[in-house]
Amino acid sequence: MLFTLILLPLLAAIAILCGAPARKTALAAALGNIVLASFPLMNASSPNWNTGFQVLADPEINLSLGFHSSGASAVMLLLSVLITLAAVYSGKCPEGREKLWFSSTLFIAAGCIGAFLSTDVFFFYAFHELALIPTFLMIGILGRGERKQVAWKITIYLAFGSIVLLAGLLLATYHAGSFAMADLANAKVPLEAQKTIALLLIIGFGTLISLFPLHSWAAPAYASAPAPVSMLHAGVLKKFGLYGLLVVGMNVAPDGMAHWLPLLCSLLLGNIIWVGLVTINQKRLDLMFGNSSVMHMGYIFLAIAALAADPSNQIAEPAAVLLMFAHGISIALLFSLSSVVEEKTGTLEINQLGGLAKKAPALAFIFGLAGMASIGLPGLANFAGEIMVFLAGFASWKAGEPLGLVQITTIIALWGVVISAVYVLRAYRDCFQGPLVKSTEDASDLSLCGKIPSYMLGAVLLIVGIYPQIILQFLPQQ
Amino acid sequence: MQAHYLEFLTVAFGVFLLMFEAFTDGKKSRIALIAAAGLTVILLLQCTAPLHAEVPSWMSRFYAYDALARFYKLIALVSTILVLLMAFDFRKILARFTCGDRSEESMGEFFCLPVFACAGLMWMASAKDLVSIFVALELVTITFYVLVAYMRRNVGSLEAGVKYLILGGLSTGFLVYGIAWVYGSLGTTDLALIPTALASQDLNLSFLLFGLALMIIALGFKIGAVPMQLWIPDVYQGAPTPITAYLSVASKAAGFIVMWKILNPFLEADAPTQAQVFLILSIMAGATLLYGNLGAIKQSNFKRLLGYSSIAHAGFLTIGIACYDITAVSFYLATYLVMTFSAFFILALVRNQEDSDAIEAFDGLGQRNPLLAAATTITMAAMAGIPLTAGFWGKFFIFKAALTAQPQAVSWCVITIAFICVAAGFYYYLKVVKAMYWNAARNEKALTIPSITKAVLITLTAAIVIIGIFPQPIICLLGQ
């Protein structure tokens, strides 16, 4: 059953390459995947979904898929299938490049789903790499602006990150004696090795998640990438690293992670405060959202840091997963809508836009909703995630005790909320309010085709915001 | 059929082809197809050969047939068949530089010689005595002297031939001289008896190590490892493309199996030479990796790039030898065969139609022939070692061997170099992918793929992906 979730987009992508009608096939595959995913998601804790196939006897490596016991994989699967559908709908495919456009989107989706469902470290890593290749190609061929330099830059960054990550994973599996994630959790790794593993994983995963100061590839990449790629990459694929830190890093090297806590805390503050200030200075919508995506990774790192500081922290992991989900949906929606804005007005320069709400009320509404979600307005999904992260920061602190490292970090990180409010609200005011300008005079509103994915993601943000339990139910209470 | 008949059969088949070539007129290129078909039959016959069967006593000192020998014979046969098929599709360029008048009059031997080389490679896989190893190795090398310089109207090919001949001759000298020293100190050339000889008390270790060092240098030439790698880029560039592929795969595979056989007794845990040989190999591996990868980065010619990349691969393989893990080495060579042949088929095809080996010739291939571009992308991904392709597993086993080797793990320095080199590989292999998809095509003319090349390319790229997902069958073939 879980295999079909990966096979369906793969087969659809190959069918498109062989000449099947691109858009229809991609849509059918994305819809089919949502339907297919709903069955295992209804009862994600059942062990029936776990399937495996041995590909190598020594060391034992299995192509095994299943839901990780922490439930994070179920949430990530839901995120992947939702954004895949929206991504297939979004963006304007250049004439004649439908094959590349839709098949790459499906390849990325298959890689994401495969990575999150793998219960074997080898395939966890391998599926992620599968998703990266079409990403490079799409940015390099169909990207905007300095696409070649950008694609080359992310190739080098992510290849470096992957190699460091691979070294860390191999070292972890060497000490644990197994590639199965379940065995990694029970492995007794000596402390010195844990420190090395944790450092390699923080650098490796950190590069993939754009942890400060390894983040400089991310914003230009998202700004340059075609809409479906930035949606899938920022929304889903980037969560691979966070997921990896949660299910591999924290399981195999908890003491190692705790050892590097000061490093992690200072770097994540770099994400939140430094990149936050950089974001305020952005003049283009796409670069702004690219940077804001990097910035918001800091919050999720904060939850991981809280977990590393105190593995018995009950809410840190649910907080991280909920925020990963919420951020994924909101950033994908924002990237999708930015590409709509560019399509309608021909520009993404904030100072060349204005009064768009008069011409495109539906667009303005949904854009506002996504923007408010991303700054963490109560009632929307991100709020639930962010508040849980901040609570997680203080969960292991008792009144009267001096503040620990994580608590101080949390207090500084709270300023991030103010920073993101500044840039999102200002961008919204400049683009959508005020008088009409030259570029927005002839703009039209969202078409039906554009409304479907936007409303869908917007509804998800609302539902999860009002009733976060719908996501938290996947995460077993410890 | 008993395994030892296979070599005789191959030689007889080669002689038959030479006769056939001499006494028939018309298109000589069909000899390539006949030769390929004949070798396929031998390949099928080999599948029926029982393992560890009795070998006649007169040759049992020189000859053994086990899972490892079977594996390397398979590599020899498969690569020779692929070389012949590539040569068939490459015949126009070959004819232009051989006969000059585009006829195929004087190029018949070109298709017969690989069969003899194949016999030598097969013999080498079964050889178990320094003497028989030497004889088999020379049969292969001498055939290669002819093949490398075969395009006699092409200055590059002649230059390559001369370089290969001179350096090859030198390495032969080193090898014989080394064997003589080893024989002098141990009193035997039979590899099976060397461990006993090593255990004797009156062993002169410095004489033995001197001989071993000479032999390692000579083998370094065959596999293209530092310090004997200098010939590779020039010879690879100058030789006819099918022969470059042959050199790169079969000759290297043979070099490694010979290296393994010779060094195996000296690397065993209780051998007095273990530490020194291990140290030499580690340094060699590290230096080879650095030279190959750093050299590859700045190449703009695809054939030279493959040359440097073959040096880089030799570095990884040497780590495997140093770690005393023949399974990792053999697996790596099997995947290396698949992806290197795929790359050379692509190169030969582009060379044929664009008349250029440069990476620029790949510009815009994604538009001009999507199928070929997809095959190239998969091949380059495999060469770089991206997961879910065969190339990843090769590197994976080498790293596993390096991490777990007992009693001495390869030093962290070499492992770190290897990791950095994998990252460097991404850069230069993806340069080709970048040229295909990102650069504008120089002309719009679609590339056509001849049917044989097409079938082979589809098979090879499918194999890259299938092995990438499911590598166990190859491990089973190795008898592990």
Side-chain angles (χ1 to χ4, degrees):
Chain A
M1 180 73 189
L2 296 179
F3 276 114
T4 22
L5 285 170
I6 302 171
L7 274 180
L8 185 66
L10 275 183
L11 292 179
I14 292 170
I16 290 173
L17 286 177
C18 294
R23 192 180 166 83
K24 283 181 190 151
T25 315
L27 264 178
L31 268 174
N33 245 9
I34 288 197
V35 175
L36 281 177
S38 62
F39 296 108
L41 283 175
M42 300 257 203
N43 190 5
S45 55
S46 155
N48 297 342
W49 305 113
N50 296 335
T51 41
F53 163 67
Q54 191 179 60
V55 301
L56 196 63
D58 176 39
E60 191 181 321
I61 293 181
N62 300 291
L63 172 50
S64 63
L65 300 180
F67 288 114
H68 194 260
S69 57
S70 72
S73 50
V75 178
M76 290 298 114
L77 171 66
L78 182 62
L79 177 70
S80 312
V81 291
L82 283 174
I83 293 187
T84 307
L85 181 64
V88 170
Y89 259 117
S90 295
K92 198 166 162 43
C93 173
E95 282 293 312
R97 305 311 291 268
E98 287 84 3
K99 273 188 182 180
L100 177 70
W101 180 276
F102 288 105
S103 60
S104 300
T105 309
L106 290 176
F107 269 123
I108 301 176
C112 295
I113 296 173
F116 290 128
L117 290 182
S118 291
T119 48
D120 194 279
V121 173
F122 175 79
F123 280 94
F124 168 68
Y125 176 81
F127 276 117
H128 175 256
E129 298 286 303
L130 173 70
L132 284 183
I133 295 177
T135 311
F136 300 142
L137 289 182
M138 281 280 268
I139 295 180
I141 305 170
L142 300 175
R144 289 181 291 235
E146 305 259 306
R147 58 192 167 88
K148 289 183 189 172
Q149 281 89 326
V150 170
W152 210 221
K153 187 172 178 180
I154 72 164
T155 308
I156 290 166
Y157 259 99
L158 298 189
F160 161 77
S162 300
I163 290 293
V164 177
L165 172 61
L166 181 64
L169 290 178
L170 282 183
L171 200 59
T173 50
Y174 168 62
H175 280 285
S178 162
F179 277 78
M181 284 192 184
D183 297 339
L184 289 186
N186 302 324
K188 298 271 177 294
V189 182
L191 182 63
E192 278 310 308
Q194 281 203 24
K195 286 181 190 169
T196 320
I197 293 170
L199 183 65
L200 288 170
L201 292 185
I202 289 177
I203 297 175
F205 281 128
T207 313
L208 305 180
I209 320 167
S210 61
L211 174 65
F212 180 86
L214 302 165
H215 67 285
S216 68
W217 59 270
Y222 298 144
S224 174
V229 172
S230 45
M231 291 170 73
L232 276 169
H233 198 281
V236 187
L237 199 53
K238 221 169 164 189
K239 310 295 180 287
F240 165 86
L242 299 158
Y243 175 83
L245 277 179
L246 278 176
V247 305
V248 181
M250 285 309 301
N251 274 340
V252 77
D255 300 331
M257 293 289 284
H259 176 80
W260 297 106
L261 193 63
L263 175 78
L264 192 59
C265 283
S266 33
L267 296 187
L268 74 88
L269 281 181
N271 270 59
I272 297 176
I273 305 297
W274 172 259
V275 181
L277 294 175
V278 170
T279 314
I280 291 186
N281 279 312
Q282 296 304 317
K283 305 274 188 285
R284 282 174 62 90
L285 272 184
D286 49 2
L287 279 174
M288 190 187 91
F289 288 130
N291 277 302
S292 101
S293 160
V294 175
M295 172 191 172
H296 283 117
M297 291 299 116
Y299 294 128
I300 307 173
F301 274 118
L302 179 58
I304 294 174
L307 192 63
D310 176 16
S312 63
N313 195 327
Q314 295 283 327
I315 56 171
E317 185 161 350
V321 176
L322 181 60
L323 189 54
M324 278 152 72
F325 181 83
H327 176 264
I329 298 280
S330 65
I331 198 74
L333 184 51
L334 284 168
F335 276 125
S336 153
L337 293 173
S338 320
S339 87
V340 176
V341 169
E342 189 183 28
E343 198 185 308
K344 307 274 181 205
T345 64
T347 180
L348 280 173
E349 298 286 341
I350 296 175
N351 58 12
Q352 289 179 15
L353 290 163
L356 201 51
K358 294 190 184 71
K359 286 286 183 182
L363 175 64
F365 165 70
I366 196 79
F367 196 102
L369 182 83
M372 296 309 137
S374 90
I375 59 177
L377 197 74
L380 293 164
N382 300 52
F383 173 74
E386 285 180 21
I387 199 82
M388 278 182 74
V389 168
F390 296 134
L391 290 176
F394 277 88
S396 37
W397 178 74
K398 292 187 186 60
E401 281 179 8
L403 292 174
L405 181 63
V406 176
Q407 285 78 44
I408 296 172
T409 313
T410 312
I411 292 171
I412 306 175
L414 275 164
W415 283 96
V417 179
V418 182
I419 295 176
S420 48
V422 170
Y423 62 74
V424 171
L425 291 177
R426 199 177 58 186
Y428 188 78
R429 184 193 66 199
D430 290 353
C431 296
F432 287 91
Q433 295 176 330
L436 285 171
V437 294
K438 193 167 153 244
S439 61
T440 53
E441 272 169 358
D442 304 323
S444 57
D445 204 357
L446 275 177
S447 62
L448 181 66
C449 225
K451 277 178 185 163
I452 295 174
S454 320
Y455 285 0
M456 179 186 81
L457 294 184
V460 173
L461 284 177
L462 262 175
I463 294 168
V464 177
I466 294 166
Y467 186 61
Q469 190 61 28
I470 204 165
I471 295 300
L472 294 174
Q473 62 167 341
F474 291 114
L475 309 167
Q477 304 298 315
Q478 286 141 357
Chain B
M1 177 183 274
Q2 294 287 332
H4 54 275
Y5 292 125
L6 292 171
E7 280 88 1
F8 298 125
L9 198 61
T10 313
V11 174
F13 180 57
V15 174
F16 160 77
L17 281 177
L18 273 182
M19 295 295 152
F20 181 78
E21 197 274 311
F23 293 110
T24 52
D25 295 329
K27 286 205 180 261
K28 301 288 184 188
S29 51
R30 64 183 165 173
I31 295 174
L33 296 182
I34 299 172
L39 290 179
T40 314
V41 173
I42 294 176
L43 182 71
L44 294 176
L45 285 176
Q46 202 209 317
C47 301
T48 66
L51 277 184
H52 305 292
E54 275 293 301
V55 177
S57 57
W58 60 272
M59 61 185 290
S60 61
R61 190 185 149 196
F62 298 103
Y63 190 95
Y65 184 66
D66 50 13
L68 206 59
R70 177 180 65 183
F71 189 79
Y72 280 88
K73 280 179 209 236
L74 277 180
I75 289 194
L77 282 164
V78 171
S79 43
T80 312
I81 292 170
L82 288 171
V83 164
L84 287 165
L85 292 177
M86 198 192 297
F88 180 76
D89 275 349
F90 194 67
R91 59 189 185 278
K92 275 191 195 131
I93 299 228
L94 209 58
R96 171 149 52 112
F97 290 113
T98 312
C99 322
D101 51 0
R102 288 180 183 265
S103 74
E104 294 178 4
E105 206 45 50
S106 55
M107 50 187 270
E109 308 88 8
F110 187 82
F111 305 116
C112 306
L113 287 171
V115 178
F116 290 104
C118 180
L121 293 166
M122 289 165 71
W123 182 263
M124 218 184 295
S126 281
K128 53 183 279 237
D129 187 288
L130 287 175
V131 176
S132 58
I133 285 179
F134 178 74
V135 172
L137 200 60
E138 282 316 294
L139 174 55
V140 176
T141 314
I142 290 172
T143 319
F144 269 118
Y145 295 146
V146 182
L147 288 171
V148 167
Y150 203 83
M151 301 202 298
R152 52 183 170 273
R153 285 167 200 273
N154 180 326
V155 180
S157 181
L158 288 179
E159 185 198 330
V162 172
K163 269 195 179 150
Y164 191 61
L165 178 66
I166 292 174
L167 287 170
L170 193 66
S171 94
T172 302
F174 274 120
L175 188 59
V176 183
Y177 198 43
I179 290 179
W181 277 89
V182 170
Y183 178 69
S185 13
L186 293 177
T188 176
T189 55
D190 189 341
L191 291 169
L193 300 179
I194 286 182
T196 336
L198 274 175
S200 78
Q201 295 300 316
D202 51 349
L203 182 69
N204 189 329
L205 205 57
S206 25
F207 287 176
L208 177 64
L209 282 173
F210 179 65
L212 268 181
L214 290 173
M215 279 162 64
I216 291 178
I217 288 179
L219 293 170
F221 170 81
K222 305 287 177 215
I223 60 174
V226 171
M228 293 292 278
Q229 85 297 357
L230 286 169
W231 60 278
I232 285 205
D234 295 333
V235 173
Y236 274 35
Q237 194 180 5
T241 305
I243 299 311
T244 313
Y246 207 16
L247 266 180
S248 172
V249 179
S251 166
K252 191 182 289 268
F256 272 102
I257 184 64
V258 165
M259 194 162 182
W260 165 255
K261 284 184 175 185
I262 293 181
L263 296 183
N264 186 12
F266 300 100
L267 271 168
E268 266 174 19
D270 47 356
T273 47
Q274 193 206 25
Q276 289 94 331
V277 175
F278 173 79
L279 183 68
I280 295 177
L281 288 178
S282 308
I283 294 173
M284 213 164 128
T288 310
L289 278 169
L290 281 178
Y291 185 91
N293 283 290
L294 297 183
I297 285 178
K298 61 177 195 294
Q299 298 306 318
S300 59
N301 181 301
F302 191 46
K303 218 167 164 186
R304 278 184 90 82
L305 175 70
L306 287 175
Y308 276 98
S309 111
S310 119
I311 300 177
H313 287 297
F316 284 108
L317 286 159
T318 312
I319 296 183
I321 296 273
C323 295
Y324 200 58
D325 190 342
I326 189 63
T327 312
V329 172
S330 307
F331 187 93
Y332 198 108
L333 282 168
T335 60
Y336 179 71
L337 179 148
V338 180
M339 52 202 198
T340 307
F341 266 107
S342 175
F344 275 105
F345 264 97
I346 293 162
L347 172 67
L349 178 73
V350 174
R351 166 83 175 81
N352 244 344
Q353 309 206 0
E354 295 285 308
D355 209 20
S356 161
D357 289 336
I359 295 181
E360 280 168 16
F362 285 78
D363 283 357
L365 202 64
Q367 296 266 312
R368 294 168 62 197
N369 193 328
L371 180 74
L372 189 63
T376 315
T377 311
I378 294 175
T379 307
M380 290 297 124
M383 289 264 204
I386 288 174
L388 301 183
T389 63
F392 178 82
W393 287 111
K395 297 206 167 66
F396 175 84
F397 285 117
I398 295 289
F399 279 120
K400 176 179 164 270
L403 285 169
T404 55
Q406 291 301 332
Q408 290 164 299
V410 174
S411 76
W412 282 102
C413 177
V414 178
I415 295 183
T416 314
I417 291 178
F419 262 107
I420 294 170
C421 289
V422 173
F426 281 109
Y427 177 81
Y428 56 80
Y429 290 121
L430 291 183
K431 249 187 355 192
V432 182
V433 178
K434 187 175 125 185
M436 286 192 306
Y437 289 105
W438 299 357
N439 296 353
R442 289 187 301 175
N443 59 41
E444 291 301 315
K445 188 177 59 122
L447 264 91
T448 49
I449 312 184
S451 49
I452 290 183
T453 302
K454 192 173 188 173
V456 171
L457 265 183
I458 291 175
T459 317
L460 289 177
T461 34
I464 288 176
V465 176
I466 292 169
I467 299 174
I469 296 170
F470 187 39
Q472 187 64 39
I474 294 193
I475 302 287
C476 294
L477 202 63
L478 275 161
Q480 300 290 315

